[in-house]
Amino acid sequence: MTGRRQERSTETEQALKSAARRLFAERGYLNTKITDITAAAGRAAGSFYNHFSSKEELLQSLLNDLEAEGDVSAESPDHKPDFTDPEAVRYHVDNYWSFTRHNWAVLRATSQAALVSADFARIVSDFGAQQRMGIRDHLDGFPAAGLELPGSPDVSLAIMFLATSALLQAVEDGTLELTDEQAVEALTRFIYRGLTGRDIT
């Protein structure tokens, strides 16, 4: 493939993925057809299959982009890997909230796909497990600090992620009106107290 043809192909693939993100946000994954995506991208209907074999494969590609985004993100000097420190909890809540809100359309589409696809149900389960495993060591300092988690480390972290996702769902649906700063502050206080039994002073 020549350089110009490769460039056009890449442009079309990105246009299809951008259109899919918009439509998933507007009408949901299950209510979006491939022809909707190609029309929104301004591309011929048949061009879709030059890049993806199905809507499921397109969604998987969007998820791969999310993983790459997480992999290349530089670790901030503000990062603290110890959840006995409220600022460490705040840092992670803030980052997770920002990442999830930015990618809400894709993450919600994945959850919707999981309702009708065993493969995507497994992907959702694995994604959650990877998130928890990535910060499980942030709870290692609890015994030395004389603190007892509300459940096992995996359960405690699952509660943390589920609480954040549920609040974000309410904000995205318009059930609650919160700024990002208000949401992060409320979640930080809620999660820190839930994990440690302490209030943030």
Side-chain angles (χ1 to χ4, degrees), residues 74-83 85-92 94-95 138:
E75 187 171 278
S76 167
D78 295 330
H79 176 254
K80 298 177 181 179
D82 179 5
F83 281 175
D85 181 347
E87 289 309 309
V89 175
R90 189 185 310 279
Y91 173 88
H92 287 83
D94 188 26
N95 276 268
H138 291 31

Side-chain angles (χ1 to χ4, degrees), residues 91-113:
Y91 173 88
H92 287 83
V93 167
D94 188 26
N95 276 268
Y96 182 72
W97 180 270
S98 298
F99 174 82
T100 305
R101 187 153 204 197
H102 176 69
N103 296 295
W104 184 248
V106 175
L107 295 170
R108 187 181 68 164
T110 307
S111 295
Q112 292 171 344

Side-chain angles (χ1 to χ4, degrees), residues 2-181:
T2 65
R4 180 56 187 153
R5 286 182 62 195
Q6 178 65 51
E7 184 179 333
R8 286 199 301 268
S9 176
T10 300
E11 289 173 355
T12 296
E13 180 177 338
Q14 291 305 315
L16 291 169
K17 291 201 287 189
S18 295
R21 286 182 69 118
R22 292 196 307 273
L23 292 173
F24 293 163
E26 292 169 7
R27 63 182 70 173
Y29 174 80
L30 299 177
N31 293 325
T32 299
K33 301 189 294 292
I34 288 174
T35 51
D36 297 329
I37 296 170
T38 54
R43 300 299 196 273
S47 68
F48 182 93
Y49 297 99
N50 293 329
H51 302 276
F52 308 104
S53 63
S54 63
K55 187 172 68 168
E56 290 77 14
E57 186 175 303
L58 183 152
L59 179 56
Q60 181 63 66
S61 179
L62 289 172
L63 283 172
N64 292 343
D65 291 345
L66 263 60
E67 292 178 4
E69 179 184 330
D71 289 342
V72 300
S73 60
E75 187 171 278
S76 167
D78 295 330
H79 176 254
K80 298 177 181 179
D82 179 5
F83 281 175
T84 65
D85 181 347
E87 289 309 309
V89 175
R90 189 185 310 279
Y91 173 88
H92 287 83
V93 167
D94 188 26
N95 276 268
Y96 182 72
W97 180 270
S98 298
F99 174 82
T100 305
R101 187 153 204 197
H102 176 69
N103 296 295
W104 184 248
V106 175
L107 295 170
R108 187 181 68 164
T110 307
S111 295
Q112 292 171 344
L115 297 174
V116 296
S117 165
D119 287 340
F120 273 99
R122 176 186 50 77
I123 289 170
V124 169
S125 177
D126 289 348
F127 185 69
Q130 289 170 4
Q131 288 177 316
R132 294 190 297 273
M133 185 58 64
I135 60 171
R136 199 176 189 279
D137 64 341
H138 291 31
L139 303 176
D140 289 350
F142 275 57
L147 298 173
E148 185 176 351
L149 290 167
S152 70
D154 200 48
V155 167
S156 300
L157 292 174
I159 293 169
M160 172 180 169
F161 282 109
L162 289 168
T164 305
S165 296
L167 185 62
L168 181 53
Q169 175 78 62
V171 170
E172 290 288 337
D173 289 348
T175 306
L176 289 173
E177 290 188 12
L178 288 174
T179 65
D180 290 339
E181 293 77 13

